[in-house]
Amino acid sequence: MSSQESVVESRSSPNGAIVKVENLVKEFGTLKAVKGVSFEIQEGEIFGFLGPNGAGKSTTINMLTTLLKSTSGMAEICGYDIHKNPTEVRRSVGVVPQEYTADEDLTGYENILLCADLYGIPRSNSKPHAEELLALVELSDAKNRKVSTYSGGMRRRLELACGLINYPKLLFLDEPTLGLDVQTRTAVWKYIRMLKAEYHMTLFMTTHYLEEADSLCDRIAIIDHGQIVKMGTPDQLKASIGGDVIIVGVKEADPDISSDIAKISLVKDVKKKDSEYRIKAEMGEEASPQIMDLIRSKGLHVTKISLTKPTLDEAYLELTGSSLREEETNKMQMMSQRVTMMRARS
Amino acid sequence: MVEENIRSATTTNQPEIKSTTAQETRPAVETPREQEREFRAAPQMNTSPLHGLWALTNRDLKKWYKNPILLFMSLIQPVVWLGLFGKALNFSSFITSSIPPTAPPGTADTILKSFFGTTSYFSFLSCGMMAFVILFTAAFGGMSVVWDRRFGFMNKALSTPVARGSVAMAKVLQSVCRALITASIVLLVAIALGMVTSSFTIQGVLGAYAVMFLIAFGLSSLFVMLAIRSSDWQTQMAIINLLNLPLLFASNALFPVKIMPSWLQTVAKLNPVSYANDAIRQLLLGSPGQFSLGLDFSVLAGFAAVLAGISIYLSWKLLTK
């Protein structure tokens, strides 16, 4: 075990960053899809790009996987510059694209072998490896069926297996659970956790599902209008919107004891509306009994109390706003999205 | 009754239990450490610029030969063309029957020979038909680029280290393979239907295949090049239709050039399909050519090389946006 660990160690770059992105910009004509993003991903972490549709998530992934040329800026993936060494970048990363890219007329097994051929992996290695990966994503039974007979979930799992065929250290997942049912989504989450835990893989995923980012990612960058608006661990992001919310209903509307409640050290903010106090506090579990005691000591009666923990939803909506997006999108993107959704539901 | 209930309960429960145990025991059976080693020990990858070329070509061919209906249709089509077009448009009997009986014997043959270079119009047309099926196969070979882009496979290929030029060249090669196979069927059917084989030689047949390879390569490159940025199959169909008919009719595939108006003769002279037909007829039928064989081969080789070059260049330029 220790010898293996040292192998892993020696592969990492000195500061442990497997992805370094500086001021990456992409313009499509006059449309600025990505307006200069900078971030680093450490080896072994799951890094998530979270943002609404059209925020620039896929564009960034496509630039990092060298499918799109960036307008300006630089990025280094596994030590290779995306502009100077695109072929080496492609060789060292795995990509699970947003759309379904497997060939429908071939079987799952043929598809994964084809992928291996495109990476130049000799058949003597790719055949057993393909079997292993198909077993990993639980497709061994269906491996000799044509992909056109696969369900959306099976296709997504096949894409994942194809993305792993070249032994990547870094795996890009673009909206890995888009349009999937709950069972498949749970399974995909399980694989993602397993890749990190058992194979020490670094994962870069995009998503617009908050719960997904919250439960999977070690660090999240919230991206909107082509810019990173906030970056940190899920807990940091939640904390940034300011603690737990306690709502206490009191029988008597008078007297106003807001100022007394605000004196409790854990309480950060108190607002009163009619007979209800809306209190923002750190560590709500400890603050609420103190608040109850205080209210009782004033001779008042508590009618109800509720404690709400902040969710990523709130942090997210606070940062990106709640208005609906009507981003410009090109025909090509719409078409591929339609095809993806159609197949996911099949 | 009670027993039955219990039994049904256990049977419905069984698959569930099975699946959970299977999931839970899996990491234990394949020890994680072993899997780790398997994942870490990446093999030496082939980094030659040609790797993946055959894999991509074979993928397209597989779609063809593993689909019996598609294979049957694309093989039966030339037979139908030859049978209907070749036999209905029988210039030989047209000329023979319109010669007055008083004419000296051999007049019809002389006229036919001077028009077609052979006394059998069917043989003349069969050679043209081979170039014709090559042209159509090449044209629709370009369509598969559009489908790949549309169904996402193109993106998968492009996210691998396979050379961008290979992505385009694989399309060209698959189309060349299909074109040559279909043209061979045309040749066999033509022989069965009465094509004159008296001047066939081994060198002639091999030479004809070399010609067919060159014209197929050039035309396939042309259509792949035109499709390389397109994701819209309707535009692509329009392009195919726009190019196919002029390439076919402004050539010597169906009629000899000398009966065409002079402006059309000039167009036919610029059309590489004319050179292919000219060479194939010289090699298979022994008919006198419009151009020398050397010129035919030079034009066809140049055409193939230039278009292949352009399509490789464009694939590097355009496949990454």
Side-chain angles (χ1 to χ4, degrees):
Chain A
M1 196 65 203
S2 61
S3 68
Q4 267 170 13
E5 222 118 63
S6 69
V7 171
V8 175
E9 280 298 313
S10 69
R11 278 172 171 237
S12 56
S13 47
N15 60 357
I18 192 163
V19 175
K20 274 186 255 177
V21 180
E22 262 171 46
N23 225 353
L24 207 59
V25 174
K26 180 67 188 181
E27 293 167 10
F28 296 105
T30 54
L31 178 77
K32 276 195 155 193
V34 177
K35 303 171 190 165
V37 296
S38 304
F39 59 92
E40 282 192 358
I41 302 177
Q42 305 303 315
E43 208 164 334
E45 74 176 340
I46 302 181
F47 185 82
F49 247 26
L50 179 65
N53 292 334
K57 303 185 299 281
S58 294
T59 309
T60 309
I61 265 205
N62 286 342
M63 282 192 283
L64 296 183
T65 54
T66 74
L67 281 178
L68 269 180
K69 280 195 186 105
S70 62
T71 310
S72 67
M74 84 115 215
E76 219 179 83
I77 313 279
C78 302
Y80 299 109
D81 189 298
I82 57 165
H83 298 113
K84 292 178 199 142
N85 257 325
T87 310
E88 288 305 321
V89 172
R90 287 182 212 124
R91 217 187 294 285
S92 42
V93 303
V95 184
V96 181
Q98 186 174 339
E99 68 264 41
Y100 295 99
T101 60
D103 190 326
E104 304 235 330
D105 299 325
L106 303 182
T107 67
Y109 184 61
E110 284 171 333
N111 259 295
I112 193 166
L113 280 188
L114 175 62
C115 275
D117 289 343
L118 297 185
Y119 280 101
I121 298 167
R123 279 283 165 104
S124 58
N125 181 288
S126 65
K127 279 185 175 170
H129 192 43
E131 301 271 5
E132 258 170 37
L133 290 173
L134 287 168
L136 181 84
V137 296
E138 294 157 270
L139 277 180
S140 295
D141 294 339
K143 68 173 185 174
N144 290 324
R145 267 166 52 194
K146 276 193 178 183
V147 173
S148 51
T149 68
Y150 280 21
S151 70
M154 292 165 81
R155 284 164 200 256
R156 180 55 72 194
R157 273 142 56 200
L158 179 65
E159 293 293 335
L160 188 62
C162 286
L164 294 168
I165 189 71
N166 63 325
Y167 306 84
K169 281 193 286 178
L170 171 65
L171 185 68
F172 287 93
L173 297 149
D174 196 0
E175 304 273 6
T177 58
L178 188 72
L180 296 182
D181 59 13
V182 181
Q183 285 85 349
T184 316
R185 198 195 304 179
T186 317
V188 170
W189 289 2
K190 184 182 83 185
Y191 304 139
I192 290 176
R193 290 202 183 92
M194 181 160 68
L195 290 173
K196 175 189 151 86
E198 289 179 26
Y199 303 113
H200 308 299
M201 208 175 269
T202 312
L203 292 105
F204 179 6
M205 59 184 287
T206 68
T207 179
H208 57 241
Y209 297 119
L210 294 148
E211 40 165 340
E212 184 166 294
D214 193 8
S215 73
L216 287 177
C217 297
D218 298 311
R219 276 193 316 132
I220 297 170
I222 295 180
I223 181 168
D224 195 23
H225 299 298
Q227 278 171 317
I228 292 179
V229 286
K230 194 105 191 176
M231 190 153 53
T233 65
D235 287 337
Q236 280 170 346
L237 293 182
K238 285 178 211 164
S240 72
I241 60 154
D244 305 347
V245 176
I246 304 162
I247 295 171
V248 186
V250 178
K251 205 171 170 188
E252 300 83 2
D254 292 317
D256 186 348
I257 54 161
S258 300
S259 54
D260 297 301
I261 296 173
K263 279 178 196 146
I264 299 172
S265 61
L266 291 171
V267 172
K268 291 161 99 183
D269 183 46
V270 186
K271 283 198 184 86
K272 179 173 183 290
K273 196 185 173 214
D274 299 331
S275 59
E276 230 176 60
Y277 293 90
R278 189 182 160 85
I279 302 155
K280 274 193 177 179
E282 284 173 58
M283 292 185 282
E285 293 88 343
E286 284 180 36
S288 29
Q290 293 180 27
I291 295 166
M292 296 262 286
D293 290 345
L294 179 83
I295 293 172
R296 286 212 193 92
S297 71
K298 297 279 176 192
L300 304 174
H301 297 89
V302 176
T303 53
K304 63 173 185 186
I305 183 160
S306 73
L307 167 63
T308 318
K309 290 270 173 194
T311 62
L312 208 48
D313 291 40
E314 283 151 43
Y316 178 78
L317 288 177
E318 202 167 290
L319 289 165
T320 62
S322 52
S323 57
L324 290 175
R325 295 311 160 88
E326 284 169 20
E327 292 284 339
E328 253 183 79
T329 173
N330 63 41
K331 199 173 139 203
M332 194 58 205
Q333 264 176 343
M334 278 315 290
M335 197 183 64
S336 83
Q337 221 164 55
R338 272 210 315 269
V339 173
T340 304
M341 294 304 284
M342 196 183 76
R343 294 198 204 159
R345 285 174 189 149
S346 74
Chain B
M1 188 65 194
V2 174
E3 238 181 59
E4 221 172 77
N5 268 344
I6 291 169
R7 204 183 301 149
S8 72
T10 46
T11 44
T12 49
N13 273 342
Q14 235 159 16
E16 240 178 71
I17 293 164
K18 253 187 196 164
S19 70
T20 49
T21 46
Q23 276 179 7
E24 275 165 15
T25 50
R26 205 153 41 81
V29 173
E30 302 164 30
T31 55
R33 208 174 288 183
E34 230 171 29
Q35 276 191 348
E36 251 171 51
R37 207 182 311 129
E38 197 60 51
F39 258 63
R40 296 294 162 192
Q44 189 60 43
M45 293 184 194
N46 179 359
T47 55
S48 96
L50 287 179
H51 87 266
L53 178 62
W54 173 243
L56 282 172
T57 311
N58 191 32
R59 162 194 171 245
D60 272 318
L61 288 177
K62 231 182 223 172
K63 289 165 95 84
W64 185 52
Y65 66 73
K66 283 210 171 172
N67 185 339
I69 296 172
L70 185 65
L71 187 66
F72 179 73
M73 294 297 267
S74 58
L75 295 183
I76 208 76
Q77 188 205 21
V79 179
V80 174
W81 270 100
L82 259 186
L84 290 181
F85 209 82
K87 286 298 175 187
L89 222 99
N90 200 339
F91 279 104
S92 299
S93 64
F94 175 68
I95 288 173
T96 316
S97 62
S98 57
I99 298 280
T102 50
T107 310
D109 283 1
T110 320
I111 294 173
L112 281 169
K113 259 211 149 80
S114 79
F115 266 136
F116 303 116
T118 166
T119 52
S120 154
Y121 175 70
F122 182 74
S123 304
F124 174 89
L125 185 73
S126 299
C127 293
M129 213 43 101
M130 280 153 67
F132 167 82
V133 296
I134 288 173
L135 172 63
F136 271 72
T137 314
F140 287 98
M143 280 300 283
S144 73
V145 180
V146 179
W147 291 122
D148 274 2
R149 203 172 258 296
R150 232 183 145 128
F151 286 121
F153 182 83
M154 183 68 89
N155 271 350
K156 159 165 287 173
L158 292 179
S159 69
T160 68
V162 81
R164 263 83 275 255
S166 292
V167 176
M169 272 303 116
K171 289 288 173 204
V172 173
L173 286 181
Q174 64 99 7
S175 170
V176 169
C177 289
R178 285 167 66 159
L180 289 184
I181 293 169
T182 326
S184 305
I185 307 268
V186 170
L187 184 60
L188 292 176
V189 172
I191 292 169
L193 289 179
M195 185 184 182
V196 179
T197 55
S198 53
S199 2
F200 275 25
T201 58
I202 291 174
Q203 296 97 308
V205 172
L206 288 178
Y209 268 89
V211 169
M212 289 195 283
F213 174 81
L214 288 175
I215 188 73
F217 204 86
L219 289 171
S220 303
S221 300
L222 172 70
F223 284 101
V224 166
M225 183 183 95
L226 291 170
I228 207 134
R229 266 315 281 277
S230 178
S231 57
D232 179 2
W233 62 270
Q234 297 188 63
T235 315
Q236 196 57 29
M237 287 297 271
I239 292 173
I240 290 174
N241 282 331
L242 185 70
L243 283 178
N244 257 356
L245 294 181
L247 277 172
L248 178 68
F249 285 103
S251 83
N252 54 4
L254 309 177
F255 315 105
V257 172
K258 63 176 88 162
I259 62 168
M260 295 177 182
S262 66
W263 65 269
L264 195 56
Q265 289 195 20
T266 316
V267 178
K269 261 185 195 163
L270 295 172
N271 184 349
V273 177
S274 294
Y275 292 87
N277 287 326
D278 189 58
I280 293 173
R281 288 191 184 122
Q282 289 186 49
L283 290 160
L284 289 184
L285 304 178
S287 39
Q290 189 189 355
F291 315 106
S292 73
L293 264 181
L295 179 66
D296 286 335
F297 269 99
S298 322
V299 169
L300 291 171
F303 174 65
V306 168
L307 282 165
I310 297 176
S311 67
I312 290 176
Y313 173 76
L314 287 181
S315 63
W316 281 101
K317 199 87 187 148
L318 297 178
L319 283 179
T320 307
K321 281 163 268 175

